[in-house]
Amino acid sequence: MVQPTSSFPSDFLWGAATSAYQIEGSLDADGRGRSVWETFAEQPGAIEGGGDAAIACDSYRRWGDDLDILSQLGLGAYRFSLAWARIMPDGRGRVNAAGLDHYERIVDELLARGIEPVVTLNHWDMPEALMAHGGWAGRESVDAFTEYAVAAADRLGDRVNWWITQNEPWIIQLLGYQLGLHAPGVRDLRSAVAAGHHVLLAHGAAVDAMRPLTRGRIGAALNLLPCVPASDSPADAEAAWGSDGYVNRWFLDPLLAGGYPADMRQHWERAIGGSLDAVIRDGDEAAIGGRSDFLGVNFYTHRVMAAAEPGPDRPFPWQVVGSTGEVARTDEGTEIVPGAFRDLLVRLHRDYPGVPIMVTENGAISGDSPTHDGRVHDVRRIRYLRSHVQAMGDAIAAGVPLVGYTHWSLLDNFEWALGYRPRFGLVYVDFRTGERILKDSALHYAEIARAGGLVEWDATTAPSVDSL
Ligand code: PNW
C-alpha cells in the first residue's frame, strides 16, 4: 500500500477543466457576438478534418448534464471559461446581459452542489470586432479586456472565489501571432511579442479593476514546459536556458518577479531587429507584476533542446529535438515526464516563493473509444493521471503550496486546430449524438478525489460505475 499522497491538504481542490469555445456550440445563441475562432476555422485547412465548433459538446444547452457528471464524480472544482463574445458581442461598450445570465446560472448551480467554480476569462475566443485594432497585437486590447473583466466580476464577483484572467499567454503569442496556427492566424514576430505583452498587461489592468468587485483570488494560467538540454554540451545547456526564457520566464518573471528577463529581451530584440521600448513602455512592468494571488500551471510535457543557427524559420538559436533515450509517450508521441512536473513545481516554489499554485491543466490524449461493452478502457490515461498525482504529492511533501488540480479535460472536445481527433476527456463524447460516457479514468479519478490522494489500482480490473 503506497501512502505518499497523504500529503494533500484536506481542502485541496480536485476538479476538471474545460473552455467555452471547445465545448459550448450554439455560437449564435442569445446575442453572442462573433469570435476570432469562427473566422479562423473558415480558412481552408485551418482545422484538421475540416470541423468547426458550431456544436462541439453542445454544452451551452447540455451544461446541466456536465454538472451532473461533476457531481456524480464527486469533484470539488470545475474550471470553465466565459465566452468573451457572449458578454461583449461588439468587443467594446455594450454588455450582453443574456450572456452573463447563462454563466450566472452555471455558477449558482455549481455552488448549490458544493463545487467551486474556477472561472477563466480569456480562453482564446476574443471577439472578432477587436481585430479592427489588431487583436492582442494592438494595445487597445488591454482596455477592451478590462471592460469585459469588470462586466464579469460585477455580475459574478460576489460568488466566484477563483478567477483566471488569461489562459496560456505563450500559446496565444506563438500559435496565434507568430506561427498563425491558431486564431487569428497572424504570422509576424513583432505582432507576436506585442500580443504576449498585451495579454500580460491586460491581466494586470483586469486584476486592478476587478479587486473592488470580488474577494476571490485572481491569477493567470501559464503553460509551462521544463526545457532540458539534449546533451551535456555547454551549447545545449545554453539553448535550454534560452528556450526556458522564451516559454517560461518571459511570462513568469513579469507576473511574479517584477519584470521581463534581460537575456530573453535581448533575444527578442535581436530577432525583430530593433528595440522593444515602444511595445514595453515605461511603467508597463510595474502594471503587470505583484498582483497575482496564485499561479495557474498547465503542464503536459517538457521540451528537449539543442543549439541551432537562427534562420528564416528559426528566430532564436535553439531547436526542439526530443528525447533520444527510452521515454514513455502518449498515443500522440508526447513524452510523459512526471518527474519533470515535480521538479517544475519545486522550482516555481524556489524561484517565486510565497505564490500558491493551482495545476489548472494536465492530461493526455489516449486513443479511446467505447468497446463492445460500451465502456472506455483508457488505461493509459489512468497511468498518466496517477503518475502526475504522485508528482504533486511529492511536490507538496517538498513544501510546494499546491491548492488544487483541474484535470484537462472533463470532456472530449474541440481541440482547436486539431479538430475532434485528439480526445483529452475523462468523459467520452459522441459528437454525433452528444451522448457522454464516463471513461474508466473518470471513475478512477473519482476514487482519487474521494480519498484525497492516490488509491490502489489494479490495471487488470476496470473500475465500476457502481462504485460512485
Ligand atoms: C492547452 N501546443 O492548449 C489549452 O489550454 C487547452 O485549451 C487545450 O485543449 C489543451 O492544452 C490540450 O492541448 C494547448 O501546441 C494547445 O504546444 C497547443 C499546445 C499547447 C497547449
Side-chain angles (χ1 to χ4, degrees):
M1 175 87 184
V2 215
Q3 288 279 20
T5 50
S6 50
S7 47
F8 286 93
S10 58
D11 59 353
F12 190 82
L13 294 171
W14 296 96
T18 61
S19 89
Y21 202 75
Q22 295 179 269
I23 65 166
E24 285 183 347
S26 302
L27 300 178
D28 297 319
D30 302 331
R32 181 185 179 281
R34 192 176 167 86
S35 90
V36 291
W37 266 92
E38 285 93 281
T39 307
F40 182 74
E42 284 167 6
Q43 311 298 310
I47 311 296
E48 201 180 304
D52 61 37
I55 300 174
C57 306
D58 201 17
S59 286
Y60 189 75
R61 299 191 301 169
R62 295 175 187 252
W63 61 270
D65 297 352
D66 299 345
L67 270 49
D68 285 346
I69 291 171
L70 292 165
S71 295
Q72 200 184 351
L73 298 178
L75 297 183
Y78 182 39
R79 176 184 179 220
F80 63 101
S81 79
L82 313 187
W84 188 348
R86 292 194 192 278
I87 294 171
M88 309 294 293
D90 313 317
R92 297 293 295 266
R94 182 173 65 92
V95 174
N96 177 35
L100 287 166
D101 293 345
H102 175 71
Y103 297 112
E104 186 170 45
R105 281 191 286 271
I106 295 179
V107 166
D108 286 344
E109 185 58 34
L110 284 168
L111 293 171
R113 293 161 184 250
I115 303 171
E116 274 297 329
V118 178
V119 174
T120 308
L121 292 176
N122 174 35
H123 205 121
W124 307 351
D125 46 359
M126 174 182 252
E128 170 73 18
L130 296 173
M131 288 312 293
H133 303 285
W136 284 112
R139 206 172 160 99
E140 290 83 350
S141 57
V142 175
D143 290 341
F145 181 73
T146 308
E147 277 182 27
Y148 159 52
V150 165
D154 192 39
R155 178 71 81 93
L156 304 172
D158 58 342
R159 278 159 281 178
V160 171
N161 291 316
W162 297 93
W163 294 95
I164 293 166
T165 55
Q166 303 282 12
N167 181 66
E168 302 190 344
W170 181 64
I171 291 290
I172 298 174
Q173 172 183 301
L174 173 72
L175 299 187
Y177 292 82
Q178 183 178 331
L179 300 178
L181 297 172
H182 277 187
V186 175
R187 295 184 55 154
D188 176 59
L189 272 187
R190 194 166 240 293
S191 302
V193 70
H197 177 60
H198 296 141
V199 166
L200 291 180
L201 203 52
H203 162 79
V207 171
D208 291 351
M210 291 168 73
R211 283 292 179 212
L213 302 170
T214 184
R215 292 172 64 188
R217 276 166 274 197
I218 314 174
L222 304 181
N223 61 310
L224 298 176
L225 284 153
C227 298
V228 212
S231 76
D232 51 18
S233 78
D236 287 353
E238 203 180 315
W241 180 246
S243 167
D244 183 69
Y246 176 53
V247 181
N248 303 319
R249 289 179 288 119
W250 189 252
F251 303 94
L252 285 166
D253 285 6
L255 285 171
L256 305 174
Y260 287 103
D263 63 319
M264 189 61 217
R265 185 164 176 154
Q266 266 178 18
H267 279 300
W268 266 117
E269 294 187 330
R270 208 168 296 145
I272 64 172
S275 162
L276 278 172
D277 289 353
V279 176
I280 304 170
R281 300 187 190 161
D282 284 348
D284 282 2
E285 286 164 302
I288 296 169
R291 290 169 166 68
S292 303
D293 301 318
F294 69 102
L295 173 67
V297 173
N298 297 355
F299 179 85
Y300 291 92
T301 187
H302 66 175
R303 319 218 288 170
V304 181
M305 307 302 302
E309 280 304 316
D313 286 321
R314 187 183 297 134
F316 308 109
W318 51 74
Q319 64 176 327
V320 180
V321 291
S323 291
T324 45
E326 271 295 297
V327 184
R329 293 171 196 270
T330 68
D331 292 356
E332 291 278 293
T334 304
E335 298 182 9
I336 305 175
V337 289
F341 181 37
R342 177 204 55 226
D343 294 348
L344 169 71
L345 295 170
V346 169
R347 166 202 173 175
L348 292 171
H349 178 48
R350 182 196 66 208
D351 291 352
Y352 311 95
V355 182
I357 296 171
M358 186 187 295
V359 175
T360 39
E361 285 183 28
N362 170 246
I365 298 169
S366 168
D368 24 0
S369 51
T371 49
H372 57 276
D373 59 358
R375 306 272 304 270
V376 182
H377 303 297
D378 56 342
V379 175
R380 293 163 65 104
R381 175 171 291 101
I382 295 180
R383 285 211 183 88
Y384 183 97
L385 169 67
R386 288 179 61 84
S387 61
H388 289 76
V389 169
Q390 173 81 50
M392 290 192 295
D394 292 348
I396 291 170
V400 178
L402 266 191
V403 298
Y405 174 80
T406 52
H407 187 84
W408 187 272
S409 175
L410 178 66
L411 304 171
D412 290 342
N413 60 46
F414 176 71
E415 180 55 33
W416 307 111
L418 303 180
Y420 292 97
R421 180 182 49 80
R423 291 179 172 272
F424 271 99
L426 295 163
V427 175
Y428 178 86
V429 177
D430 181 329
F431 292 111
R432 288 160 311 171
T433 62
E435 190 197 351
R436 283 117 162 93
I437 301 173
L438 303 190
K439 300 179 190 178
D440 287 354
S441 59
L443 304 175
H444 186 66
Y445 185 41
E447 291 181 29
I448 292 176
R450 184 166 13 139
L454 279 187
V455 291
E456 280 186 88
W457 177 60
D458 177 353
T460 60
T461 332
S464 152
V465 189
D466 307 329
S467 68
L468 291 178

